[in-house]
Amino acid sequence: MSGNSIGVLFKVTTWGESHGPATGAVVEGCPSGIDLAEEDIQKWLNRRRPGSSPGSSARKEEDAVKILSGTFQGKTTGTSISLLIENTNFEKGAYENIKEVFRPGHGDFTYFRKYGIRDYRGGGRASARETAARVAAGAVAHKIILQAGVEVVAYTAALGGIAIKRGKNLEKTVTYEDIAANHLLCPDPDAARAIEDRLAEARRSGDSLGGIVEIIVRGCPPGLGEPVFDKVDADLAKALMSIGTVKGVEVGAGFKVAEMTGSEANDPMTPEGFLSNHAGGILAGITTGQNIVLRVAVKPIPSIEKLQKTIDVRGNPAELSVKGRHDVSAIPRIVPVCEAMVMIVLADCLLRQEACKFKR
Amino acid sequence: MSGNSIGVLFKVTTWGESHGPATGAVVEGCPSGIDLAEEDIQKWLNRRRPGSSPGSSARKEEDAVKILSGTFQGKTTGTSISLLIENTNFEKGAYENIKEVFRPGHGDFTYFRKYGIRDYRGGGRASARETAARVAAGAVAHKIILQAGVEVVAYTAALGGIAIKRGKNLEKTVTYEDIAANHLLCPDPDAARAIEDRLAEARRSGDSLGGIVEIIVRGCPPGLGEPVFDKVDADLAKALMSIGTVKGVEVGAGFKVAEMTGSEANDPMTPEGFLSNHAGGILAGITTGQNIVLRVAVKPIPSIEKLQKTIDVRGNPAELSVKGRHDVSAIPRIVPVCEAMVMIVLADCLLRQEACKFKR
Amino acid sequence: MSGNSIGVLFKVTTWGESHGPATGAVVEGCPSGIDLAEEDIQKWLNRRRPGSSPGSSARKEEDAVKILSGTFQGKTTGTSISLLIENTNFEKGAYENIKEVFRPGHGDFTYFRKYGIRDYRGGGRASARETAARVAAGAVAHKIILQAGVEVVAYTAALGGIAIKRGKNLEKTVTYEDIAANHLLCPDPDAARAIEDRLAEARRSGDSLGGIVEIIVRGCPPGLGEPVFDKVDADLAKALMSIGTVKGVEVGAGFKVAEMTGSEANDPMTPEGFLSNHAGGILAGITTGQNIVLRVAVKPIPSIEKLQKTIDVRGNPAELSVKGRHDVSAIPRIVPVCEAMVMIVLADCLLRQEACKFKR
Amino acid sequence: MSGNSIGVLFKVTTWGESHGPATGAVVEGCPSGIDLAEEDIQKWLNRRRPGSSPGSSARKEEDAVKILSGTFQGKTTGTSISLLIENTNFEKGAYENIKEVFRPGHGDFTYFRKYGIRDYRGGGRASARETAARVAAGAVAHKIILQAGVEVVAYTAALGGIAIKRGKNLEKTVTYEDIAANHLLCPDPDAARAIEDRLAEARRSGDSLGGIVEIIVRGCPPGLGEPVFDKVDADLAKALMSIGTVKGVEVGAGFKVAEMTGSEANDPMTPEGFLSNHAGGILAGITTGQNIVLRVAVKPIPSIEKLQKTIDVRGNPAELSVKGRHDVSAIPRIVPVCEAMVMIVLADCLLRQEACKFKR
């Protein structure tokens, strides 16, 4: 049933399977008169492209986006924007060996149970391929939040058990350039080197790795979020948890609040601003004006070469070693996907807040 | 703006401030012909009532629910159900001392920044009072999920840094009775006793405590959830994060997946079922049929007696000690609220999945 | 299932049956800081009260509205507004005689077929009583559109085959006072007198009458409406057709366009404005800035004393004469309901258009 | 802003301008396992193709649809279906002459006022071209309603003031074949001939014509529609009024009810069924099981060769004669668009009603 749309005023509807002819998004709610060219979107897609990082597959995806509607003479018209990305480079037949068996940890079992149909082609909508449409839509959201001075930066905070060392000002100072300095989109070069070794080792053993992505929002005005259900943290949690491999979402101090007292957790207020940011920029579901700080737990890629116990489509026991071009970790490719989802939510919040200020 | 509704087919819309005449919910999408009396709802509301636990305030709330529509002769009619809970027992004037200053960690600052209006009465919509309507609506959702054999049990998993000891079968065996054995809704009696001491100590020092609530769903059929944005874990994350004091949500192994390999994290499948449940009952946003396991991080109550730095409504520096009847922890009162939100989401998922099976 | 809400940013959710304890609405999206007292709403409810008109029933409804949330010190806070109207004056047992038989032309048959449950009490949600909540919500919408200088006036344009004579400037000049000059809310006093006779005659013969209500919107800015499905005329058509007895909706020249040529139907444009208004203020689903002109066809009240052929709940043939206090026509009581629905739609359109102008 | 989606469970989102590279729709909520090939959709698109009728333009549109997602091995998978129709045959530069002036009766003025941007290319989203995506999506809806035994047939009921003569059983007996017998999709061959003459005459005089389309739904089960706002007639009215040239919508007896008495308008019920169908198959917003009868008023095409008074984009007076390939009437091309919109609404209603029957 319906469920492929996110957002109220800025609304993104996606479509496309990993092994169909194309994938894409319809983006509604982009105000008119904004410069928007294919290059503006392409540069975001390029960030999620499988690179030369030890964690990425060798599969080459072009991910060339086309704008099919919603712009005229290089500017948005205010009407729905259709974005299309052709699937040019999948291996036909590459998934024949998994046609008959379910992959542990993978969505093919649940899709089969939900829809009663077996689409064995590389995961269908449950494939990481689906996230390309999210990144493309996020590029449009970026245009909107930029007009309000909002910036979203995500990076690899941990991978395979190796965490970044963070200076206390990381959230305030980290730049896209810092992050782009290595293939892992990791702001700590020492951690990045250790992670590369860890990824190489996992690849050799036919296994995969999980990690943590951190997302920082800077310049966000106070007042965004629509209580009591469309709170900005609630909408962010949904948007991030809807990414395939995410199993946890935290705001600010996150799970650490469980061990704090009120006097520790509360961020004292002064005329110059807050003295700390345990709230992660959100109080009672509304932005405070501080940086928004989010963290997501990313599970290891389920498709691994290591032999696993499983069942086939008839329910009989089976063993499976997944061959083929698979990433060792969803990180770093998931990093721009996290950015995109946050930008999509914030674009929607900004537009909804406009209405809130009606005649005020 | 709008934002007070949750759900697509089973939809809950709430209203009401802490210090207004009443609070309530409109519940749409309850199928007709289901037995529903006020007692059925009252028993859930009674669970969130401030009790004699050291963590609860002395404030007595009656929380007597009235059904104003949607039933006839003790059965639902299929039309919208209006639930009303009068606010009978708030202290008028109790909040006069905080009229002029913002409470650190509290929503009164962000509500002021969003709406440009100062409703200083105990938090307005940002008050824990708002959750009474959620619990009442959850009681209706309970009627629906019960028909599908689904059971939701939540409990205190940690408070003030003291965690329960869990037998490995806790998620399979824990009952409402186990949990109701102490005021803390905690299935581990030893932990409960230690927590009571910790709460008493925090109360003495004018401080408050955070913790963790765990929610288990048993009997859930496979196939629930509507990819790619209305995945069941995405909708659950939103529903739980929309509760005032929640700062993090995990599914299954949650943040632990960040340190696992694929061969550790994947749950092997056999003809007899899965051999583990790191996925927490959800793969690719669709239920597997295993138990759903969720955990939320609950921040300490921000209103504390300890002196805090803050600002007043004109932006001048101020100091604040919040007097009055405040809980030391949102736990255990938040436990039935978590249950309610999960039941509301699952009721919606069950109904949406009905349509999915159209003519199949 | 869900279906009791209308609007995207300004959203109204209604509940309540004719013979339950109360009826009401939850109104979301009203900007903060607007004066709103119960009297502001009550005066609109009073307009739909059964009066002394020959077309109205003798039933006395008080329809006293209470505001249960969303205001503080006489102003809106930006949070959801709960409005409650107690049902104080229905005749218990009055509907016993129709318990076993379906009323021709009435919703009791279809509600039974939809929900499989027989709520025989005066129509339940299908009763005209349900419209009280619409009028109350419309009063909140009125506060919003007023800020944008928009005015909505509806009146009886025909009843029982007797149509008003219209001066060519009627749509530009008609006032609430003109309309309130008679019980029929009819701007033509001669027609009103003839209609009163026609109503008296219908009452004597145990029958009922249909008619036409016309709604004029003045001062509406150009640019409202969200193509291609949430066009302003589409949303208005839905809102008006959702009123129980409405069987047709027209915009501008309406069905007359079927016999016009393009050169007749097009409204010529000049620097001073349009030279005619066949479009009824809407082109391509967006307001032009001219007056919006709408007309709805109102069917005769189905509950009549005249003997009718019908069936009982077991499907056996039956005859029915509906006794009791029934209006002879839904007009004029439906007039303020039409106004309310139009105001609700326009309030939503105004707010959505705010977002459209983001940073422009 | 958002506004390009229709439906709750069966949801259609459209995109595309008349002179962009393509137009299309994303269709969510189609159950899995249904046969769906491009030919199934193409045959509906072919019905709206400009033909050899005197009312159609000479412009040749191929309207070849591609399915980009949501099917596997010729069957739907339950995921979102992306449909794309390339715009292969528009005249580049054909609209240069109207670049500077607004066309009376056309959406270019209101789009300019709404979005503040001038997309002069043939109407953008306000073009009839936009309806191709509706027809393609309607073809998917057809697959769903067919499984429930529902059939939708629309035809030309009047054009240029010439109405069909109707046998009293027209609504029960009219077939696609009857309608396809002439280019005008008109079930009355005599009327069709007279209309052809009228169209030829209008073309000669550089003018255009309006008319009436009637839509019949047969085999619809009772119980569809979700009161009180998502009533089936309310949703149908919205869907039909959202078509560019529609200015009025009627159900059953429609505007005729205004002159009827209750004893005339009520459809008597007998054990064998209803004795008449003034209700048009809908009572209180829920289907009765009788045929649904709808009528829409279609305005004349606003782009005409006859000289018209207008203004240019700077507000100066201008005169305009629209040259180029324009239809004389939106009928008959609008006929399959009306069918599509009705099928889209009914598919959604059928799925929503499934949930209504949960565990019953």
Side-chain angles (χ1 to χ4, degrees):
Chain A
M1 297 300 103
S2 63
N4 297 279
S5 291
I6 192 162
V8 171
L9 292 183
F10 183 78
K11 184 153 74 81
V12 173
T13 304
T14 71
W15 55 270
E17 291 85 41
S18 54
H19 284 58
T23 188
V26 181
V27 181
E28 295 174 80
C30 183
S32 57
I34 296 180
D35 292 324
L36 184 70
E38 287 168 357
E39 309 86 81
D40 298 325
I41 302 170
Q42 193 61 49
K43 68 182 181 191
W44 293 91
L45 282 167
N46 293 349
R47 293 186 70 213
R48 79 169 274 290
R49 203 152 50 178
S52 54
S53 145
S56 296
S57 75
R59 180 158 61 139
K60 190 167 158 289
E61 292 176 270
E62 284 242 352
D63 280 355
V65 71
K66 283 182 201 161
I67 300 176
L68 296 182
S69 70
T71 63
F72 180 55
Q73 298 177 330
K75 284 186 191 301
T76 58
T77 59
T79 60
S80 48
I81 299 168
S82 178
L83 304 174
L84 181 135
I85 303 160
E86 284 180 46
N87 292 336
T88 50
N89 190 252
F90 55 84
E91 297 175 79
K92 282 199 186 60
Y95 291 90
E96 288 295 317
N97 65 318
I98 52 164
K99 198 168 163 177
E100 297 289 310
V101 293
F102 294 117
R103 281 168 282 173
H106 195 278
D108 57 359
F109 172 71
T110 50
Y111 268 68
F112 181 66
R113 293 305 301 264
K114 180 172 190 66
Y115 298 110
I117 199 165
R118 175 102 178 111
D119 178 357
Y120 49 80
R121 300 166 304 167
R125 285 292 270 166
S127 160
R129 179 95 204 110
E130 177 261 326
T131 61
R134 297 176 183 233
V135 171
V140 182
H142 177 253
K143 292 277 180 167
I144 296 170
I145 66 170
L146 197 69
Q147 300 211 349
V150 181
E151 183 186 35
V152 177
V153 189
Y155 48 82
T156 301
L159 208 166
I162 300 161
I164 56 168
K165 282 217 178 63
R166 66 175 68 235
K168 56 180 264 194
N169 284 323
L170 179 69
E171 76 176 56
K172 289 184 186 149
T173 58
V174 65
T175 63
Y176 278 112
E177 288 67 36
D178 297 344
I179 292 161
N182 55 67
H183 295 305
L184 289 165
L185 303 180
C186 178
D188 173 350
D190 295 335
R193 271 186 297 273
I195 289 170
E196 295 220 2
D197 293 346
R198 185 82 188 82
L199 283 167
E201 178 198 318
R203 180 180 296 283
R204 280 192 299 274
S205 62
D207 216 334
S208 62
L209 298 171
I212 288 176
V213 173
E214 203 159 275
I215 308 114
I216 307 293
V217 181
R218 289 191 289 240
C220 190
L224 304 193
E226 302 296 332
V228 294
F229 295 119
D230 295 355
K231 289 174 171 176
V232 65
D233 42 0
D235 276 355
L236 287 167
K238 172 171 176 151
L240 291 166
M241 195 69 98
S242 77
I243 303 172
T245 54
V246 171
K247 298 300 281 186
V249 179
E250 292 187 320
V251 182
F255 275 85
K256 287 205 193 84
V257 296
E259 308 200 356
M260 294 169 96
T261 63
S263 58
E264 289 163 354
N266 287 345
D267 302 309
M269 301 168 83
T270 72
E272 292 74 41
F274 294 90
L275 296 183
S276 57
N277 189 13
H278 299 116
I282 300 170
L283 280 176
I286 300 171
T287 55
T288 62
Q290 284 202 285
N291 292 340
I292 299 175
V293 181
L294 301 158
R295 252 177 320 279
V296 301
V298 179
K299 75 173 188 177
I301 295 272
S303 294
I304 56 175
E305 209 172 325
K306 247 187 189 173
L307 205 65
Q308 296 180 92
K309 271 193 189 155
T310 187
I311 54 173
D312 66 19
V313 290
R314 283 164 302 279
N316 297 322
E319 291 202 316
L320 177 68
S321 163
V322 186
K323 314 284 189 195
R325 307 172 303 187
H326 285 283
D327 291 348
V328 175
S329 176
I331 299 174
R333 291 182 63 189
I334 207 177
V335 170
V337 181
C338 293
E339 285 171 354
M341 292 315 295
V342 170
M343 295 193 292
I344 287 167
V345 169
L346 293 178
D348 193 36
C349 288
L350 280 164
L351 295 176
R352 291 170 86 173
Q353 180 63 2
E354 283 302 290
C356 220
K357 295 183 291 188
F358 179 70
K359 303 285 170 195
R360 205 162 79 195
Chain B
M1 296 301 101
S2 63
N4 297 279
S5 291
I6 192 162
V8 171
L9 292 182
F10 183 78
K11 184 154 74 82
V12 173
T13 304
T14 71
W15 55 270
E17 291 86 40
S18 55
H19 284 58
T23 188
V26 181
V27 181
E28 296 173 81
C30 184
S32 57
I34 296 179
D35 291 325
L36 184 70
E38 287 168 357
E39 309 86 82
D40 298 325
I41 301 170
Q42 194 61 50
K43 68 181 182 192
W44 293 91
L45 282 166
N46 293 349
R47 294 186 68 213
R48 80 168 273 291
R49 202 152 51 179
S52 54
S53 145
S56 296
S57 76
R59 181 159 59 140
K60 191 170 158 288
E61 293 174 271
E62 285 242 353
D63 281 355
V65 71
K66 284 182 199 159
I67 300 176
L68 296 182
S69 69
T71 62
F72 180 56
Q73 299 177 330
K75 284 186 192 298
T76 58
T77 60
T79 61
S80 47
I81 299 168
S82 178
L83 305 174
L84 181 134
I85 304 160
E86 283 180 45
N87 292 336
T88 50
N89 190 251
F90 56 83
E91 298 173 80
K92 282 199 184 59
Y95 291 90
E96 289 295 318
N97 65 319
I98 51 164
K99 199 169 163 176
E100 297 290 309
V101 293
F102 294 116
R103 281 167 284 172
H106 195 278
D108 56 359
F109 171 71
T110 50
Y111 269 69
F112 180 66
R113 293 305 302 265
K114 179 173 190 66
Y115 298 110
I117 199 165
R118 175 103 179 111
D119 179 357
Y120 49 80
R121 302 166 302 168
R125 284 291 271 166
S127 160
R129 180 95 204 110
E130 176 261 328
T131 61
R134 297 177 183 233
V135 171
V140 182
H142 177 252
K143 291 277 180 167
I144 295 170
I145 66 170
L146 198 68
Q147 299 211 350
V150 181
E151 183 187 33
V152 177
V153 188
Y155 48 82
T156 302
L159 208 166
I162 299 162
I164 58 169
K165 284 218 175 64
R166 64 176 68 238
K168 57 180 265 194
N169 284 322
L170 180 68
E171 76 175 57
K172 289 185 185 147
T173 58
V174 65
T175 64
Y176 278 111
E177 290 66 36
D178 296 344
I179 292 160
N182 55 67
H183 294 304
L184 289 164
L185 303 179
C186 177
D188 173 350
D190 295 335
R193 269 186 298 273
I195 289 169
E196 294 220 2
D197 293 346
R198 185 82 188 82
L199 284 166
E201 178 197 318
R203 180 181 296 283
R204 278 193 300 273
S205 60
D207 216 332
S208 62
L209 297 172
I212 288 176
V213 173
E214 202 158 276
I215 309 115
I216 308 293
V217 181
R218 290 191 290 242
C220 190
L224 305 193
E226 302 296 332
V228 296
F229 294 119
D230 295 356
K231 289 173 171 176
V232 65
D233 42 1
D235 275 355
L236 286 166
K238 171 171 177 153
L240 290 166
M241 194 69 98
S242 78
I243 303 171
T245 54
V246 172
K247 298 300 281 186
V249 179
E250 291 187 321
V251 182
F255 275 85
K256 288 208 192 81
V257 295
E259 308 200 355
M260 294 168 94
T261 62
S263 58
E264 288 163 355
N266 288 343
D267 302 310
M269 302 168 83
T270 73
E272 292 74 40
F274 293 90
L275 296 183
S276 57
N277 189 12
H278 299 115
I282 300 171
L283 280 176
I286 301 170
T287 55
T288 63
Q290 284 203 287
N291 292 341
I292 299 176
V293 181
L294 301 158
R295 249 177 323 278
V296 301
V298 179
K299 75 172 188 179
I301 296 272
S303 294
I304 57 175
E305 207 172 325
K306 247 188 188 170
L307 206 66
Q308 297 180 92
K309 273 194 187 151
T310 186
I311 54 173
D312 66 18
V313 290
R314 284 165 302 279
N316 297 321
E319 292 203 315
L320 177 68
S321 162
V322 187
K323 314 283 188 196
R325 306 171 306 185
H326 286 283
D327 291 349
V328 175
S329 177
I331 299 174
R333 291 181 63 189
I334 208 177
V335 170
V337 181
C338 293
E339 285 171 356
M341 293 314 296
V342 170
M343 294 194 293
I344 287 168
V345 169
L346 293 179
D348 193 37
C349 288
L350 279 164
L351 294 176
R352 291 169 87 174
Q353 180 63 3
E354 283 302 289
C356 220
K357 295 182 292 187
F358 178 70
K359 303 285 170 195
R360 203 161 80 195
Chain C
M1 298 300 101
S2 64
N4 296 279
S5 292
I6 191 162
V8 170
L9 292 182
F10 183 78
K11 184 153 74 82
V12 173
T13 304
T14 71
W15 55 271
E17 292 85 41
S18 55
H19 284 59
T23 188
V26 181
V27 181
E28 296 174 80
C30 183
S32 56
I34 296 179
D35 292 324
L36 184 70
E38 287 169 355
E39 308 85 81
D40 298 325
I41 301 169
Q42 193 61 51
K43 68 180 180 193
W44 292 91
L45 281 167
N46 293 349
R47 293 187 69 213
R48 80 170 272 290
R49 204 153 48 180
S52 53
S53 145
S56 296
S57 75
R59 180 159 62 140
K60 190 168 159 289
E61 292 175 273
E62 284 242 349
D63 280 357
V65 71
K66 285 182 198 160
I67 300 176
L68 296 181
S69 70
T71 62
F72 180 55
Q73 299 177 330
K75 284 186 191 298
T76 58
T77 60
T79 61
S80 48
I81 299 167
S82 177
L83 305 174
L84 181 134
I85 304 160
E86 284 180 46
N87 292 336
T88 50
N89 189 252
F90 56 84
E91 297 172 81
K92 280 194 185 66
Y95 291 91
E96 288 297 316
N97 64 319
I98 52 164
K99 200 169 164 177
E100 298 289 310
V101 291
F102 294 117
R103 281 168 282 171
H106 195 278
D108 56 359
F109 172 71
T110 51
Y111 269 69
F112 181 67
R113 292 305 301 266
K114 179 172 190 66
Y115 297 110
I117 200 164
R118 174 101 179 113
D119 179 356
Y120 49 80
R121 300 167 303 169
R125 285 291 270 166
S127 161
R129 180 96 204 111
E130 177 261 328
T131 60
R134 298 176 183 233
V135 171
V140 182
H142 177 252
K143 290 277 181 168
I144 296 170
I145 65 170
L146 198 67
Q147 300 211 350
V150 181
E151 183 187 32
V152 177
V153 189
Y155 48 82
T156 302
L159 208 166
I162 299 162
I164 57 168
K165 284 220 174 62
R166 64 176 68 236
K168 57 181 266 195
N169 283 322
L170 180 68
E171 76 176 57
K172 289 183 188 150
T173 58
V174 66
T175 64
Y176 278 113
E177 289 66 36
D178 296 343
I179 292 161
N182 57 67
H183 294 303
L184 290 165
L185 303 179
C186 177
D188 174 350
D190 296 335
R193 269 185 298 273
I195 289 169
E196 294 221 5
D197 293 346
R198 184 83 188 81
L199 284 166
E201 176 197 319
R203 181 180 297 282
R204 277 191 301 272
S205 60
D207 215 334
S208 62
L209 297 173
I212 288 176
V213 173
E214 202 158 276
I215 309 116
I216 307 293
V217 181
R218 289 190 289 240
C220 189
L224 304 192
E226 302 296 332
V228 295
F229 294 120
D230 295 355
K231 289 174 172 175
V232 65
D233 42 0
D235 275 357
L236 287 167
K238 172 171 175 151
L240 291 166
M241 195 69 98
S242 78
I243 303 171
T245 54
V246 172
K247 299 299 281 185
V249 179
E250 292 187 320
V251 183
F255 274 85
K256 288 207 192 84
V257 297
E259 308 201 354
M260 294 168 95
T261 62
S263 58
E264 288 162 353
N266 287 345
D267 301 310
M269 303 168 83
T270 73
E272 292 73 39
F274 293 90
L275 296 183
S276 57
N277 189 13
H278 300 115
I282 301 171
L283 280 177
I286 300 171
T287 55
T288 62
Q290 284 203 286
N291 292 341
I292 299 176
V293 181
L294 301 158
R295 249 177 323 278
V296 301
V298 179
K299 75 173 188 177
I301 296 272
S303 294
I304 56 175
E305 209 172 323
K306 246 187 189 171
L307 204 66
Q308 297 180 91
K309 271 193 188 156
T310 186
I311 54 174
D312 67 19
V313 291
R314 285 164 303 277
N316 296 322
E319 291 203 317
L320 177 68
S321 162
V322 187
K323 313 285 188 192
R325 305 172 306 186
H326 287 282
D327 291 347
V328 175
S329 176
I331 300 174
R333 292 182 64 188
I334 207 177
V335 170
V337 181
C338 293
E339 284 171 356
M341 294 313 297
V342 169
M343 294 193 293
I344 287 167
V345 169
L346 293 179
D348 193 38
C349 288
L350 280 164
L351 294 174
R352 291 170 87 174
Q353 179 63 2
E354 283 302 289
C356 220
K357 294 182 291 186
F358 179 70
K359 302 287 171 194
R360 204 161 78 195
Chain D
M1 298 299 102
S2 64
N4 297 279
S5 291
I6 192 162
V8 170
L9 292 182
F10 183 79
K11 184 154 74 81
V12 173
T13 304
T14 70
W15 54 271
E17 291 84 42
S18 55
H19 284 59
T23 188
V26 181
V27 181
E28 295 174 81
C30 183
S32 56
I34 296 180
D35 292 324
L36 184 70
E38 288 169 355
E39 308 86 80
D40 297 326
I41 302 170
Q42 194 60 51
K43 69 181 180 192
W44 293 90
L45 281 167
N46 293 348
R47 292 186 70 213
R48 80 170 273 290
R49 203 153 50 180
S52 52
S53 144
S56 296
S57 75
R59 182 159 60 139
K60 190 168 159 289
E61 293 175 271
E62 285 242 350
D63 280 357
V65 72
K66 285 182 199 161
I67 300 176
L68 296 182
S69 70
T71 62
F72 180 54
Q73 298 177 329
K75 283 185 192 300
T76 57
T77 60
T79 61
S80 48
I81 299 168
S82 178
L83 304 174
L84 181 134
I85 304 160
E86 284 179 45
N87 292 337
T88 49
N89 189 251
F90 54 84
E91 296 173 80
K92 281 193 187 66
Y95 290 90
E96 288 296 317
N97 64 319
I98 52 164
K99 200 169 166 177
E100 297 290 310
V101 291
F102 293 117
R103 281 168 282 172
H106 195 278
D108 56 0
F109 172 71
T110 50
Y111 269 69
F112 181 66
R113 293 306 301 264
K114 180 172 190 65
Y115 298 110
I117 200 164
R118 174 103 180 111
D119 179 357
Y120 49 79
R121 299 168 303 168
R125 285 292 269 166
S127 161
R129 180 96 203 110
E130 177 262 327
T131 60
R134 297 177 183 232
V135 172
V140 182
H142 177 253
K143 292 276 180 168
I144 296 170
I145 66 170
L146 197 68
Q147 299 210 350
V150 181
E151 183 187 33
V152 177
V153 189
Y155 48 83
T156 301
L159 208 165
I162 299 161
I164 57 168
K165 284 220 176 60
R166 64 176 68 238
K168 57 181 265 191
N169 283 323
L170 180 69
E171 76 176 57
K172 289 184 187 148
T173 57
V174 66
T175 64
Y176 279 113
E177 288 67 36
D178 295 344
I179 292 161
N182 56 66
H183 295 304
L184 289 165
L185 304 179
C186 177
D188 173 350
D190 295 334
R193 269 185 298 271
I195 290 169
E196 294 220 4
D197 293 345
R198 184 82 188 81
L199 284 167
E201 178 197 319
R203 180 180 297 283
R204 277 191 302 270
S205 61
D207 216 333
S208 62
L209 297 173
I212 288 177
V213 173
E214 202 158 275
I215 309 114
I216 307 293
V217 181
R218 289 189 290 240
C220 190
L224 304 192
E226 302 295 332
V228 293
F229 295 120
D230 296 354
K231 290 174 171 175
V232 66
D233 42 1
D235 276 356
L236 287 167
K238 172 172 175 148
L240 291 166
M241 195 69 97
S242 78
I243 303 172
T245 53
V246 172
K247 298 300 282 184
V249 179
E250 293 186 318
V251 182
F255 275 84
K256 288 207 192 84
V257 295
E259 308 200 356
M260 294 168 96
T261 62
S263 58
E264 288 162 355
N266 288 344
D267 302 309
M269 302 169 82
T270 72
E272 293 73 40
F274 293 89
L275 296 183
S276 58
N277 189 12
H278 299 115
I282 301 170
L283 280 176
I286 300 171
T287 55
T288 61
Q290 283 202 286
N291 292 341
I292 300 176
V293 181
L294 302 158
R295 249 176 322 278
V296 300
V298 178
K299 76 172 186 178
I301 296 272
S303 294
I304 56 175
E305 209 173 324
K306 246 188 189 172
L307 204 65
Q308 296 179 92
K309 271 194 189 154
T310 187
I311 54 174
D312 67 20
V313 289
R314 284 165 303 277
N316 296 322
E319 291 204 315
L320 178 68
S321 162
V322 187
K323 314 285 189 193
R325 305 172 305 186
H326 286 283
D327 291 349
V328 175
S329 177
I331 299 174
R333 292 182 64 189
I334 208 178
V335 169
V337 181
C338 293
E339 284 170 355
M341 293 314 297
V342 169
M343 294 193 292
I344 287 167
V345 170
L346 293 179
D348 193 37
C349 288
L350 280 164
L351 294 175
R352 291 170 87 174
Q353 180 63 3
E354 283 303 290
C356 220
K357 295 181 291 186
F358 179 70
K359 303 286 171 194
R360 204 160 79 196

